[in-house]
Amino acid sequence: MSLNFGPIHANVLEHITEREIYAAPTQWRLPSEHLLIDGLNVGIVALYGPQPLTASYMWMWDIQLGAIKGSLSSAEARTLGAAFGAFWANFKDPFNAPAADYALQSRPDGNFYKIALASVDLMSSAGDVAMQLSLPLGLRFDTNDLATDSYKRVISIRASEVVARCLRRCATRDVGIEAGEVRLNALLDVFMAPPHWQETAARQSEFMAK
């Protein structure tokens, strides 16, 4: 199964109502774009066991994001962060969710996730100072929960080049002067073995053997 999106545009609007957006969308115009994601592609492959159960025992997710570009003020960045925080809090909704005794138990199948970002160029400004974060060669994030004899989960992060710049606006000209720069790369592998992970690994191995 695959899911594909074209360019995704995002804006931070301080004074707008749903009536203005949906009832009369032609009466207002968006300001300049604050965030652009140049495409999103999601590929999903599921492996199923034999009949009659035909249960899925392994899922492979391949998520590819195009170039991400954006420019936000510090106030707009806080507004966007608060919006994502509110969405995540209501998405989980722990106060209205059923008790754990009534929750559906998920199968101990295996999940592989591969997430790739083509490139990132983000800037946040406050007054005459701005910070720029750039990943010109993109970012790779891989993880899976297929347990082994030594660990329960592994997380791998690859960033070939990360650039952080501090810019200051020139008083005489409308340009930014570079005040500082940091360049680095990252290659990180994290192996996770939480308490009692062997019991979970045994259940997963038994389920996948069936």
Side-chain angles (χ1 to χ4, degrees):
M1 182 176 69
S2 63
L3 184 63
N4 305 298
F5 293 93
I8 301 172
H9 307 268
N11 295 79
V12 179
L13 304 177
E14 296 183 2
H15 306 289
I16 195 72
T17 63
E18 290 187 359
R19 176 176 296 180
E20 293 175 294
I21 294 175
Y22 297 109
T26 59
Q27 295 182 6
W28 61 280
R29 294 291 183 269
L30 287 173
S32 59
E33 295 174 351
H34 291 119
L35 187 65
L36 170 65
I37 302 176
D38 191 16
L40 170 62
N41 300 311
V42 181
I44 306 171
V45 176
L47 302 181
Y48 295 88
Q51 296 180 352
L53 184 60
T54 319
S56 61
Y57 64 91
M58 189 173 295
W59 292 80
M60 290 167 282
W61 301 72
D62 186 5
I63 303 173
Q64 299 181 3
L65 290 93
I68 300 177
K69 299 179 181 180
S71 179
L72 299 167
S73 67
S74 59
E76 291 167 344
R78 289 194 300 269
T79 301
L80 192 62
F84 278 114
F87 171 80
W88 184 247
N90 287 278
F91 181 80
K92 294 189 296 184
D93 197 10
F95 299 105
N96 295 312
D101 296 338
Y102 300 99
L104 296 176
Q105 297 297 323
S106 60
R107 298 188 180 101
D109 49 10
N111 294 275
F112 289 78
Y113 298 92
K114 295 182 179 295
I115 303 174
L117 280 69
S119 64
V120 177
D121 188 5
L122 299 174
M123 181 175 292
S124 179
S125 60
D128 294 334
V129 180
M131 291 293 297
Q132 181 186 23
L133 176 64
S134 176
L135 283 76
L137 301 179
L139 176 70
R140 182 80 183 190
F141 176 88
D142 299 330
T143 182
N144 73 80
D145 60 0
L146 190 62
T148 68
D149 295 335
S150 304
Y151 55 85
K152 175 63 177 72
R153 177 188 292 270
V154 61
I155 298 174
S156 300
I157 300 175
R158 307 284 188 274
S160 301
E161 184 178 7
V162 181
V163 183
R165 294 188 180 94
C166 180
L167 306 174
R168 183 176 179 83
R169 186 181 300 276
C170 180
T172 57
R173 295 180 297 170
D174 190 18
V175 296
I177 299 176
E178 186 175 307
E181 180 183 87
V182 176
R183 289 179 176 268
L184 55 92
N185 53 28
L187 177 60
L188 179 65
D189 291 322
V190 180
F191 299 90
M192 305 176 64
H196 311 294
W197 69 272
Q198 293 91 342
E199 300 175 4
T200 306
R203 289 196 299 269
Q204 184 184 61
S205 177
E206 182 182 357
F207 172 77
M208 297 184 70
K210 293 181 179 180

